Amino acid sequence: MSLGRSITTVGGFTLLSRILGFVRDIVLSAVLGSGPVADAFIVAFKLPNLFRRLFAEGAFSAAFVPLFARELQGHGRDAALAFARQAHACLLLILIPFAALLVLAMPVVISLLAPGLSDDRATFDLAVQFSRITFPYLIFISLASLYGGVLNSIDRFAEVAVTPVLLNIALIGAVLGLTPFLPNSGYAASIGVALAGLLQWLWLLLSCRRDGVGMKLVRPRYTERVAHLVKLATPVAIGGGAQQISVMLDVIWASLLPTGSISALYYADRIAQLPLGVVGIAIGTALLPLLARQLRAGQAEAAMANQNRAIEFGLLFSLPSALALWLLAEPMIRVLFEHGRFGPADTMRASGALAAFALGLPPFVLVKALTPGFFAREDTRTPLHIAIACIVANVAMNAAFIYGTSLAQVGIALASSLSGWLNAALLAAVLLRRHQWVPDKRLVSRFIRALIATAGMGVVLCGVLIALERPLSHPDLEGVAALVGLCVAGALAYAGLAIALGVLRLADLRFLRRPPSGATPPPAGPA
């Protein structure tokens, strides 16, 4: 499967999931609001997701996918599948006792991850109870991530990409269906998270079986390949990924601010995650197995060409997305979330955070395109060292913004964005120094032209924003229509300028529609 086709497959389903995610967040904001119950649930929701990204999407996937691809390329599907089943058994051996231990020690965990909640005993107790309900999600989604790594490695991207849709459906159904029968809506949402994990696990388990790579329980054995997997995964687990560690640090800092700050950051981050999820995650998911296979086959030039195209694709979408979110932060938050218990004051808190998060979109997408260059070469230590440096910088900036300015939750979002720029810059510098990535002329040329197209789009958005100021000030159907019109105008302006400047070409679109053609990347072509 071509890189472009893989990215669009993952990105398309991710876009569907993000749209449903907006519906989910609109339901949550209307039912939970941004008070103590919402703060407690968001902490409980983020907790298993943090460990999921450490165990599964971060450490485990970064190590597992290249090794599985190497077994697949060198020894065939049967050997690769035997390795995957051993990894599955070992993962279960770690996850079950770990999850049981943290459920028992949940008050201590919440005290460490959200220390500010300790001052409000009722909110703290709710966070502990909600977290005990949501935490089994970690087991299911970590296993699902392993299955996803297997399916992605054999170019079955669609089944994996559709999985997050189940989370959104389960959460929406649980909040709307169970809230009347429980003490508050936080319990319903927490049950929805646990059910979502079960559904996602079953979906990918059946998908693996259907595609001839079924997972079976085997006796765990610490083989040489499993030991190598642990060796590669450990540095990533320690680092945790700068972005995901920063997310939980944001919760810690926000818990020290007035009530509603955690919720404001959550809703702002949800909108900011749309372009990151559609573009960044799609690039990282499609690029890693492809680079691993090409490097294993000795196709270093092809791997570098694909990495340049992935970076180009990421910048093409992240640059206009960042500017649009920065300009439209306030009307977007108002129209989408200012309903029910979510009021104007909540809009102002969340919109400031969204504008700051928007500044970090390009580097976060770049990180998704650059890190496969390390992981595909089985180098997990260098991203670890860079991640630690960025985490330290993030902590220092948070402390400076919170205690040295009046930015509050906006400072937390800004620190996250700035640490993202540092992360991307350091990753790029190391790859350049090693000559493992060299930007080609096409990438440099199209980057400059994408910047010009983005600036032109910004001028158009400012004009339309002024014209639609009145309807955008009301969170009703008229406001929704105005917001949609504003987004369409911006998208058309950017697309038109991008085509006129040669950033987007019909040849590129035809390439994305081409059937799979093996591991050879598209030619770089003229700039």
Side-chain angles (χ1 to χ4, degrees):
M1 190 178 263
S2 70
L3 175 62
R5 189 177 176 90
S6 303
I7 291 174
T8 52
T9 298
V10 178
F13 281 110
T14 304
L15 177 60
L16 172 63
S17 171
R18 298 292 173 166
I19 292 172
L20 274 175
F22 274 130
V23 176
R24 179 195 81 192
D25 290 332
I26 290 170
V27 172
L28 289 176
S29 65
V31 178
L32 273 73
S34 63
V37 173
D39 282 357
F41 168 71
I42 289 169
V43 170
F45 188 31
K46 284 182 176 292
L47 182 60
N49 277 289
L50 167 69
F51 287 106
R52 178 194 81 183
R53 287 157 182 159
L54 295 179
F55 276 109
E57 292 175 356
F60 196 82
S61 290
F64 173 75
V65 171
L67 293 181
F68 184 83
R70 185 171 72 174
E71 289 292 325
L72 197 63
Q73 186 82 19
H75 302 99
R77 178 172 290 202
D78 289 343
L81 192 54
F83 167 60
R85 288 170 177 167
Q86 275 300 319
H88 177 258
C90 293
L91 187 60
L92 270 176
L93 194 63
I94 296 171
L95 279 173
I96 293 176
F98 177 80
L101 177 63
L102 261 68
V103 166
L104 293 175
M106 196 58 70
V108 177
V109 175
I110 298 298
S111 297
L112 293 173
L113 293 179
L117 295 184
S118 300
D119 297 332
D120 185 344
R121 192 65 197 179
T123 305
F124 179 85
D125 290 342
L126 283 175
V128 170
Q129 293 171 37
F130 294 166
S131 297
R132 282 175 167 161
I133 297 172
T134 61
F135 206 74
Y137 175 80
L138 171 65
I139 298 175
F140 293 123
I141 201 61
S142 295
L143 295 177
S145 294
L146 185 149
Y147 304 162
V150 172
L151 291 169
N152 285 339
S153 296
I154 60 171
D155 291 340
R156 298 294 189 271
F157 292 100
E159 293 98 325
V160 185
V162 79
T163 306
V165 173
L166 300 175
L167 169 65
N168 296 320
I169 293 174
L171 258 176
I172 293 169
V175 169
L176 296 179
L178 298 179
T179 296
F181 306 103
L182 295 169
N184 61 58
S185 54
Y187 286 98
S190 300
I191 292 171
V193 172
L195 288 175
L198 177 62
L199 290 174
Q200 290 172 305
W201 171 68
L202 288 173
W203 165 255
L204 288 181
L205 181 67
L206 295 175
S207 297
C208 284
R209 181 178 299 176
R210 183 172 60 249
D211 290 322
V213 287
M215 290 292 106
K216 298 177 182 178
L217 284 176
V218 298
R219 183 178 178 180
R221 291 187 298 115
Y222 198 70
T223 63
E224 182 179 348
R225 290 177 297 178
V226 172
H228 192 36
L229 173 64
V230 173
K231 180 182 178 181
L232 291 179
T234 300
V236 191
I238 296 171
Q243 181 193 356
Q244 304 309 329
I245 293 296
S246 295
V247 168
M248 284 312 299
L249 288 175
D250 290 349
V251 175
I252 294 174
W253 290 109
S255 72
L256 303 175
L257 297 173
T259 299
S261 297
I262 294 177
S263 306
L265 283 168
Y266 172 78
Y267 293 124
D269 182 62
R270 287 297 302 161
I271 295 180
Q273 287 289 323
L274 176 61
L276 176 62
V278 173
V279 181
I281 294 175
I283 288 173
T285 300
L287 187 60
L288 178 56
L290 177 60
L291 290 187
R293 289 199 301 267
Q294 289 178 328
L295 291 171
R296 173 67 178 172
Q299 301 172 349
E301 290 185 6
M304 187 178 296
N306 271 317
Q307 188 150 35
N308 275 313
R309 300 291 71 76
I311 293 170
E312 176 188 319
F313 191 92
L315 291 173
L316 176 68
F317 289 96
S318 64
L319 290 173
S321 297
L323 181 58
L325 288 181
W326 186 74
L327 290 172
L328 308 181
E330 185 178 336
M332 193 170 287
I333 292 287
R334 177 181 295 112
V335 170
L336 291 175
F337 297 130
E338 198 175 297
H339 310 283
R341 299 179 63 186
F342 195 99
D346 301 314
T347 294
M348 297 308 298
R349 278 195 295 263
S351 61
L354 175 56
F357 275 133
L359 300 176
L361 286 181
F364 286 143
V365 171
L366 285 174
V367 167
K368 294 292 184 181
L370 291 169
T371 48
F374 295 93
F375 295 153
R377 293 176 172 87
E378 300 181 14
D379 175 11
T380 57
R381 291 187 176 273
T382 301
L384 162 65
H385 298 151
I386 292 174
I388 292 174
C390 294
I391 292 167
V392 173
N394 181 269
V395 171
M397 286 186 285
N398 269 313
F401 290 145
I402 289 177
Y403 296 112
T405 71
S406 58
L407 289 174
Q409 72 278 353
V410 177
I412 295 174
L414 183 59
S416 180
S417 293
L418 293 176
S419 66
W421 279 107
L422 178 62
N423 194 3
L426 292 175
L427 290 171
V430 172
L431 286 175
L432 282 168
R433 182 170 55 83
R434 295 176 177 176
H435 304 289
Q436 292 173 343
W437 170 62
V438 178
D440 56 26
K441 292 182 179 179
R442 168 175 159 174
L443 174 59
V444 174
S445 174
R446 293 198 177 187
F447 167 64
I448 295 171
R449 283 180 269 183
L451 281 176
I452 297 172
T454 298
M457 179 205 71
V459 173
V460 173
L461 280 179
C462 287
V464 180
L465 189 58
I466 293 171
L468 297 178
E469 182 179 3
R470 189 195 61 79
L472 287 171
S473 63
H474 301 287
D476 52 20
L477 289 178
E478 186 181 7
V480 172
L483 181 62
V484 171
L486 187 57
C487 293
V488 170
L492 290 176
Y494 180 73
L497 287 168
I499 292 173
L501 293 169
V503 183
L504 277 176
R505 294 182 178 179
L506 293 178
D508 298 329
L509 301 179
R510 286 195 296 269
F511 162 69
L512 294 178
R513 293 196 300 268
R514 280 213 305 261
S517 56
T520 303

